[in-house]
Amino acid sequence: MAALLRGSVMSCVFLLVLLAAFSCEVSRGEERAAGELRLETLVKPETCSVVSTLGDTLRIHYTGKLLDGKVIDSSLSTDPLVVELGKRAVIAGLEQSLVGLCEGQKIKATIPAHLAYGKKGYPPTIPGGAALEFEVEVVSLAQQTAWQKTVNDVFPLVCLALVPTLLGFVGLYLYTKSNAEKPSKKKDKKSKKK
């Protein structure tokens, strides 16, 4: 029974790995065909001592448009948007375009659909498969502290170590449970006569 269980588990794991590899390759092919992220610097400060990296916090003003010029969103009439790079708080293309910028820099990013809202879009404002154009100004840049960097770097590794450990404990529990002697269910002959 245990050998059958191990064989089934191994087959499932193999199929999942194969499926994951196939889906990654398909998505890479779609990304290459859909276009690339394009960046254009509109304003760059004369001095730039610090550039943004993953983990940094930016305050930005932005205006997002469809390629036909229709404005879909803007922060110009409100407070700047606070974005912590690497936390996926904004669409992937916008987050990628914010890496490597200086405080005071202004850019125009043309974001392909696969790095924005994809084939589904965000109805009714953004149609499916729409590329977007964002004009972004970095109002302020705060680098991550050493403590934040440690937490951001170590926490995912701890989680990665915990998952196989927990799966190992579950497997051990199931293995010992399947090999444990089962209590006999023989009934007394005398109880049947009564």
Side-chain angles (χ1 to χ4, degrees), residues 91-104:
I91 60 174
L94 182 57
E95 185 169 59
Q96 288 176 20
S97 66
L98 294 175
V99 175
L101 299 182
C102 302
E103 188 172 314

Side-chain angles (χ1 to χ4, degrees), residues 9-178:
V9 169
M10 292 303 290
S11 296
C12 288
V13 168
F14 177 75
L15 288 174
L16 286 173
V17 169
L18 191 62
L19 180 65
F22 178 73
S23 63
C24 285
E25 195 56 38
V26 167
S27 68
R28 282 188 195 139
E30 289 174 357
E31 287 177 11
R32 282 187 218 111
E36 298 295 321
L37 177 66
R38 289 186 311 231
L39 297 176
E40 178 185 342
T41 300
L42 303 176
V43 176
K44 185 158 186 164
E46 289 180 19
T47 59
C48 179
S49 58
V50 179
V51 295
S52 60
T53 59
L54 289 178
D56 291 347
T57 302
L58 302 175
R59 290 180 53 228
I60 62 169
H61 271 303
Y62 67 94
T63 300
K65 304 175 189 176
L66 296 173
L67 292 183
D68 65 5
K70 178 183 174 191
V71 175
I72 54 168
D73 195 13
S74 179
S75 70
L76 296 177
S77 61
T78 63
D79 291 334
L81 176 67
V82 177
V83 178
E84 186 176 344
L85 297 178
K87 296 294 184 181
R88 299 182 181 175
V90 294
I91 60 174
L94 182 57
E95 185 169 59
Q96 288 176 20
S97 66
L98 294 175
V99 175
L101 299 182
C102 302
E103 188 172 314
Q105 188 169 348
K106 192 171 185 178
I107 62 163
K108 179 164 63 169
T110 304
I111 303 171
H114 71 278
L115 293 175
Y117 291 97
K119 293 177 182 175
K120 292 183 180 181
Y122 193 76
T125 311
I126 303 168
L132 303 175
E133 186 176 274
F134 277 85
E135 286 190 16
V136 180
E137 179 183 3
V138 180
V139 176
S140 69
L141 165 64
Q143 289 189 302
Q144 66 179 345
T145 64
W147 173 250
Q148 287 172 317
K149 183 166 177 45
T150 302
V151 168
N152 289 339
D153 291 346
V154 172
F155 185 70
L157 296 175
V158 170
C159 290
L160 281 175
L162 284 178
V163 169
T165 304
L166 291 174
L167 288 174
F169 282 133
V170 168
L172 180 64
Y173 170 76
L174 292 174
Y175 178 76
T176 55
K177 188 174 179 180
S178 68

